[in-house]
Each structure stands twice: as structure tokens, then as C-alpha cells.
Amino acid sequence: MAKTFSEIPHTRPQTPLLNTVSGPADLRHLDNAQLETLADELRAFILYCVGKTGGHFGAGLGVTELTIALHHVFNTPEDRLVWDVGHQTYPHKILTGRREQMLSMRQKDGLSGFPKRSESEFDTFGVGHSSTSISAALGMAMASSQLGEERRAVAIMGDGAMTAGMAFEALNHASHVDKNLLVVLNDNQMSISRNVGGLSTYFSKLWSSRIYTQFRETGKKALSGMPQASNFVRRTEEYMKSMVSPATIFEELGFYYVGPIDGHDLPLLVETLRKLKEIKGAVLLHIITHKGKGFAPAENDPVGYHALNKVEPKQMLKAAAIKAVAETQPKPPAKPKYQKVFGDWLCDMAEQDDRLVGITPAMCDGSGMNEFAERFPERFEDVAIAEQHAVTLAAGMACEGSKPVVAIYSTFLQRAYDQLIHDVAIQNLDVLFALDRAGLVGEDGATHAGAYDISYLRCIPNMVIMAPSDENETRQLLYTGYMHSGPAAVRYPRGTGPGAVIEQQMTALPLGKGLLARKGAGVAILNFGTLLATGLEVAERLNASVADMRFVKPIDEQLIRDLAESHQLLVTLEENSTAGGAGSAVSEFLAEQGIVMPVLHLGLPDRFVEHGNHSQQLESIGLDSAAILAAIEKRLALLALPGQAIK
């Protein structure tokens, strides 16, 4: 029986058995009782580490026994374990030689919060987006077969990840190529939010559906007077269930199906995996786990405890002490997160226009849509982890006169790029994209950064692209995009903004028009997005002009022309890749107009930005105020040559 914890440990727990594990090889001589003790110690250590660093831990607690069993049975890293998403890999990292580095998790120069090939040979595949593990593991299995190497490939896939079409594409192909592949379906009936279309939900709905229940009741009535009727009905019901059971579905796809079994029963897991290891071909093991297992608050609220912020010393005080400390300190005015700004706008807009439909691919909570989902359930669509479907669904709705708003992280819209072009833009359909997590996202690192949306959207005809600089502009530009007839996108970052006063009155801003935020001389900073405050700070030092451009496409050509004619250096500033970004749009316009003048592009470099907090990330790439000032002064020095002096 797994030990259950009720609090986050404030000091490092005693883990004598775990301390002897420097790698998976050390697990393979332990007996079942020792493995179960190890599971308790591993959970305690995970809770301690996450309390110190913050991060995802509910999923990891749920696969603690599975992780131990996999490394105990399989010869890792020679055998390949491919984890889906990566939120569940904290136990894996601890058991593969990174125990003493866990307190650096998600911090600058520390461990990644996700599997990362450059970090460990045990991280066989880098993951941050969902539903990729079966494809990757199948590729490894096929390559091993081609090279004549005997090794096993194992994909660990959550039931939430099974809502994505990519997972079923891989399952279908696996049966065709018939290679040695084990898929472990970790069924905890949870993704980040409750699953939509998850296997357990699907089956429970099917078995309680009107068609099924009508058949059941009709059969009972028809056979009510017949001998052996009840036995016949029972056998018929079992047969119907067998036709749509997980076993039937996966076996029809060509997999040898086993399960479901208890994913927290370590001896059973070890015994089952040992047997399955010897089976050739495609195998699927279905296990049932509890997200947050072993930590009582997470077991009771798996959504709320999907991840945890760093436990500060103040949180460790007794409730009375916390209250006393809070009462003695003035409370700063609360600044709403951009996600709250979007959620409030969505509700306000829905009250005004009953054509509005909100769509999200499993990001209801993260995108700030909870209130909308509660108030307008008939107009809320969570399509699960199916970004491609979300975009084309919106396109279909727009064809019939609905006004869909797709709330999606910038990094996840990349997964639906073809649908964005083919199904929305070519047909010039009226769809608004609320691009959350635009720019760098801090501790989640490169896989979750919204680093490319301006670049990949700007080249698409019919698209309108907006980059608000604060909370109020976000609200007003969302309204502007909604009122625009055609595809439009508003990009905004994670977290809070500068604290701008939000006007409740919604006003459509002139399409493609920026504004001059500061008038100076010599240098003009053209800002796209939420780095405006930084740009203004730098401008004060230089007496530079600052334009809040607001629109990337259509871009404010007249404002660019005016600034080019009255200044000697233009500086573009954006939290997007400089390759193909907003700065490129400025230079392209200048070139088209035959305007020759120096332009300095400041944005994300041509490399992936590693994890750390947001300020550290900006500093590392020269987008903090000191570095921006230094870059501009350096360019001015280069320009101050004979005959080219800045006036």
C-alpha cells in the first residue's frame, strides 16, 4: 500500500534506499518489497523538490510505480523509454542519475522540466507537446530493426494524449509495420483539465447511451416471460460491451492488448512487464492510475494540483501567522493576468453577441475560459488535444454564420498550421485566434515558447495580426479582431502586464494604425507588443521616439514613413523571432518604398532560448533595458563615421 502524504515536506526527507540508486541498474537487484519502499521514498522526494522549485508533479506522482517497474524490467537506456508530454518524468529523472540536480529544475542552467536528449542518455526523445510518444517510439523500433539491433521501445502515453489524432495515426501505422513496440496507456481519466473524448469517458457514455439502454430495456421486456431470459440478456449485454471494449478497439488495430491493471500495484506491474517484454510485435498495456497518487490534496483536486508554485517561507507559516503578516503590509493593487483579461472580454463579448462560440484544445483553465464555460456552456467547445480539429471546426462554424474565437497557445497553433492556411485563410473565414503565451514563457522553456507566431502568420494572405502592449490594448484589440470580417489573431504573453487601466467600453481601433507613445529625436523605437515599457525606459535615456505599433499586419506604413523621414535610426522591438518577424515587415516596407536608412532589429535570436524565469530569458538574449540601450548605442557609434554622423 502506497504511503499517502498530506503536506509538502519543508526539509529534505529521509530516503535511505533512494540514496543508493545512482541509475536504473541499481533497481534491478531489488525485490518487490524494496521497490515498494522505494516508491514511498521517491514520492516524498518529489514533493520536497517541487516545493522548493515549483513545477508539475501530479502526473509524476501518478506514474511513480510505473517508472520504477519500467526501469526495473527493461534494460534502459539500451531499451528506449519514450515519455509523452514530459510532465510525468520527474520520477524518471530522479532514478536516472539526476537526483541531486532536482532542486535546479526549470531554473536557469538547471534541469529542464521535460525530457531532453542533451540532458541525459535516458531521455530518448525531447517532448513538450502532447501525443508524440507512439510515433517516436515506433520510429526507434523500426530503425533498430533496420540496423539489426535487439532492443525494446516503450511509449508511455496518457489517456489525455489519446484524444489527439496523431496518436491514432501512429497506432494504425504500428500494426502495419509489425515491429516490437510496447505502448503503455496510462489511464488516469485526467489530462490538464478533465478529458474530452478520453477512453474512459467514451466508454462510460457509450454504455449509458440512449441507444444502448433502449436496447437493454427492450430486450428485457421482450424476453420477460421466457425461461433463461435474464441469463440471455446478461450474456447479450456482455457481448455488446466486448464489441466496443478497449481490448477490441486496440486488437482491431493490430495490438496485443493487456489490461486494464492497477498501475499502483508494483508487483503486478513488474510481473506483467516481464511477460510482455518477451512478446514480439505491437503490444498495448492498459493501466489505471490516480493522478497525484500519494499526496492527499492532489488526489482530491488533480486539476488544481497539476502543477505547484514554489512554496515560499510565508506559506510554511501557520494560518494565523500568515494573516498577521499580511495585515501589517500594504497590499499592492492586483494586476490581472492576460488570461483573465481575455476571459473577461470573452464573457462580455458573448453577452453582446449570441453568435460567439469559444473553442479551445484542452486549455480551458490555462486560457482563462472557466467563467465563460460556466456561463455559456452551450457555446463552449473543448475539443481535447486536437489543435487541427479545433481550427477546422472553427472554420466550419464560420461558414454557417457563427463567430468562433479559438483560444490557443502560440506554440500549439503551430500544430494546426495547414488548417490555418487551407481551411481558414484561403476561404477568408471569420475566425479570431486568441494567441496565449506569445513570446518567451519562462520555466517551461523552448517547447512552450511562442517565438514564431508573427513569422508564420505574417506570410499568410488575409490574416490580420495584432500585438497589444498592455492589458487595455489587449481587450480593445480582441474586440477589433472580433469585429473584423476575416481571420485575425491577437498575441499576448503569459502572466501579468504593466497594470494599465482597462476600459470596460470596447472600441474597435483603426485597422493597421499605431500611435506615437513618445516623441524624441535621432532614434525611433518601433515596438510590437508588451516590451513597450522597456522601450520607453530606454527612450528616456536616449531622448528617442517610441511608436506603439499595435498592428503587425496590416502594418502602419504612414507611421513608419513619418519616423523614417524624421529620424536617423529605426529600432524594431519584438518578443518574436527576428527572422521573418515584425522588424522584417518594417524593412520590407522601406525597401519597397526605396527608403534607405539604418534599421536595428531586436527580438529573439536564431536559437532556442533555454528555460529560466522570464527576466533571465530576456537578459540572456539582450532584450532587457540595459542590453537594448547598449545595442542602440553600439549601432549609433558605428554610424557616426565621417559623413554619416547622427544629427
Side-chain angles (χ1 to χ4, degrees), residues 476-524:
Q476 306 309 328
L477 287 176
L478 284 166
Y479 181 73
T480 303
Y482 185 82
M483 299 305 293
H484 171 70
S485 181
V490 181
R491 71 184 313 259
Y492 50 88
R494 182 181 191 176
T496 59
V501 176
I502 300 175
E503 301 169 6
Q504 293 306 301
Q505 177 67 35
M506 293 184 284
T507 304
L509 303 180
L511 201 66
K513 294 299 179 183
L515 56 86
L516 193 63
R518 185 186 192 280
K519 187 174 182 180
V523 176

Side-chain angles (χ1 to χ4, degrees), residues 602-620:
L602 298 178
L604 304 187
D606 188 22
R607 62 179 173 84
F608 295 108
V609 181
E610 297 296 335
H611 56 276
N613 66 46
H614 187 240
S615 296
Q616 290 171 331
Q617 288 183 314
L618 292 178
E619 183 179 358
S620 72

Side-chain angles (χ1 to χ4, degrees), residues 425-491:
I426 287 178
Q427 304 184 95
N428 200 28
L429 292 173
D430 200 359
V431 179
L432 175 63
F433 295 90
L435 296 190
D436 197 351
R437 270 65 167 180
L440 301 176
V441 292
E443 290 81 359
D444 281 344
T447 59
H448 283 56
Y452 312 107
D453 54 78
I454 290 178
S455 302
Y456 69 68
L457 291 175
R458 198 172 67 79
C459 60
I460 303 175
N462 294 331
M463 285 296 305
V464 169
I465 310 165
M466 293 162 276
S469 62
D470 60 32
E471 301 92 332
N472 185 53
E473 273 194 2
T474 299
R475 179 177 174 87
Q476 306 309 328
L477 287 176
L478 284 166
Y479 181 73
T480 303
Y482 185 82
M483 299 305 293
H484 171 70
S485 181
V490 181
R491 71 184 313 259

